[in-house]
Amino acid sequence: MTMQPDALGARIGMWLFLFSELLLFGGLFLLYAVYLARYPADFAAGGQQLDALLGTGNTLLLITSSLTVALALSALQQGRRQLCQILLCATIFASLLFLTIKGVEWQAKFAHGIFPGGTELESLPVGQQIFFGLYFVTTGLHGLHVLVGAALLLWTLGLTHRGQVTAENSVMLENGALYWHLVDLIWIFIFPLYYLLL
Amino acid sequence: MNQTAHQPLSFRCLTTVWFLLLILTGITVGVARYDLGAINVWAALGIASLKASLVVFYFMHLKSEPRMLVLCLFVALLTLATFIGLTFFDVLYR
């Protein structure tokens, strides 16, 4: 008897895990919603201090990297392995660029004393303290997911190179791509709520 | 025949979805320039949900997955909506 890889079962398992991720970030969005209702003016003042240009740039990066990883999967399934590897490299490159921009953004806030426990932050109104607290926790947790997603895709790239992920056995890339799309999905909500708030 | 693998989506289809996502991002940035009061938040959430559906159904291939998985996603979202709804029922009427 030979083991048949159960691709559908593997994808369903990944989706179940993604649902748990949804509820994890859902809790943070719930906190955001409740405190936005309580401190609307402070949240607007906090949002205006975030760099909307960097936020927009990161949005474009994640949307485009979502495209390249989806294209990589289609390329692999069509038997174009080399194109698949190039597209995976592009996705990983975009993730590193995203983290760099995030780092620049956090650095600018740190330089102004705005970080958890920072003296400048503690002198702000309580609503703004909550806004920046949630901003650091949410984007920090999201950044961690970007890092994990990039590591997963790098590993998949290696497996593709060694011929262990192929058109017939593409579950690893399918699930890695699903995880990467989730990272994009969460950012789609973070971006307008934190960066574009009036 | 392997029934569990989906048909690979064409490059043209994926690129079209990407283009729509870019347009929607432009709209959400544009809308945020005007102060419409509470409508701003709902517009932002509406556009984000539209973008999320594009990602889920096309990039994540949910369109070609079994109906059961769509139902599971619906249950997960309903659970989250229930949590948020019940919390607001508490904090708004304290």
Side-chain angles (χ1 to χ4, degrees):
Chain A
M1 192 183 123
T2 54
M3 285 282 284
Q4 291 288 326
D6 179 7
L8 178 62
R11 287 204 302 274
I12 290 177
M14 192 65 194
W15 273 98
L16 288 179
F17 168 66
L18 296 188
F19 294 155
S20 77
E21 292 274 40
L22 191 72
L23 294 179
L24 171 69
F25 280 94
L28 291 172
F29 284 117
L30 170 61
L31 281 174
Y32 177 93
V34 168
Y35 285 113
L36 174 66
R38 189 171 298 174
Y39 303 106
D42 282 339
F43 267 52
Q48 269 151 24
Q49 291 175 53
L50 296 183
D51 194 327
L53 196 64
L54 292 184
T56 310
N58 264 350
T59 304
L60 298 182
L61 265 178
L62 277 194
I63 287 176
T64 306
S65 69
S66 234
L67 170 73
T68 53
V69 81
L71 289 176
L73 179 59
S74 279
L76 184 74
Q77 287 170 339
Q78 293 166 4
R80 296 151 84 181
R81 199 174 75 164
Q82 199 165 21
L83 181 62
C84 166
Q85 289 174 353
I86 293 171
L87 288 164
L88 274 179
C89 285
T91 311
I92 295 164
F93 179 71
S95 72
L96 295 180
L97 210 55
F98 176 92
L99 286 175
T100 309
I101 292 178
K102 186 100 268 165
V104 168
E105 209 187 305
W106 274 30
Q107 187 56 46
K109 285 279 157 289
F110 288 177
H112 290 101
I114 295 183
F115 52 88
T119 46
E120 188 63 34
L121 182 62
E122 285 178 356
S123 67
L124 291 175
V126 71
Q128 285 195 43
Q129 289 184 34
I130 293 173
F131 176 85
F132 281 112
L134 281 172
Y135 162 75
F136 281 119
V137 171
T138 309
T139 58
L141 190 62
H142 178 266
L144 208 59
H145 279 74
V146 171
L147 205 59
V148 171
L152 259 176
L153 292 178
L154 190 64
W155 187 25
T156 310
L157 178 65
L159 290 177
T160 312
H161 186 68
R162 293 196 342 230
Q164 289 178 2
V165 171
T166 56
E168 292 75 34
N169 183 17
S170 57
V171 169
M172 181 70 195
L173 180 55
E174 282 179 87
N175 282 354
L178 281 178
Y179 188 84
W180 189 254
H181 294 310
L182 176 91
V183 169
D184 181 29
L185 273 182
I186 291 164
W187 185 261
I188 284 177
F189 284 92
I190 291 179
F191 170 58
L193 288 177
Y194 282 91
Y195 291 84
L196 299 179
L197 198 65
L198 280 174
Chain B
M1 185 186 135
N2 185 359
Q3 288 182 322
T4 58
H6 14 68
Q7 284 293 319
L9 285 176
S10 70
F11 280 26
R12 176 193 283 268
C13 168
L14 292 172
T15 313
T16 308
V17 171
W18 171 74
F19 190 64
L20 288 175
L21 287 171
L22 289 187
I23 292 177
L24 287 170
T25 304
I27 294 177
T28 201
V29 171
V31 167
R33 298 172 79 95
Y34 300 97
D35 191 353
L36 308 169
I39 297 175
N40 277 113
V41 173
W42 292 109
L45 283 178
I47 296 169
S49 303
L50 201 58
K51 287 168 77 179
S53 326
L54 282 173
V55 172
V56 165
F57 281 101
Y58 289 92
F59 284 177
M60 296 171 91
H61 303 95
L62 194 63
K63 201 165 69 83
S64 46
E65 294 286 14
R67 274 290 163 78
M68 182 268 294
L69 206 51
V70 183
L71 197 69
C72 286
L73 175 65
F74 182 70
V75 170
L77 291 175
L78 200 67
T79 308
L80 185 58
T82 309
F83 284 156
I84 295 177
L86 286 179
T87 307
F88 270 92
F89 195 64
D90 175 16
V91 297
L92 287 184
Y93 299 105
R94 261 186 206 181

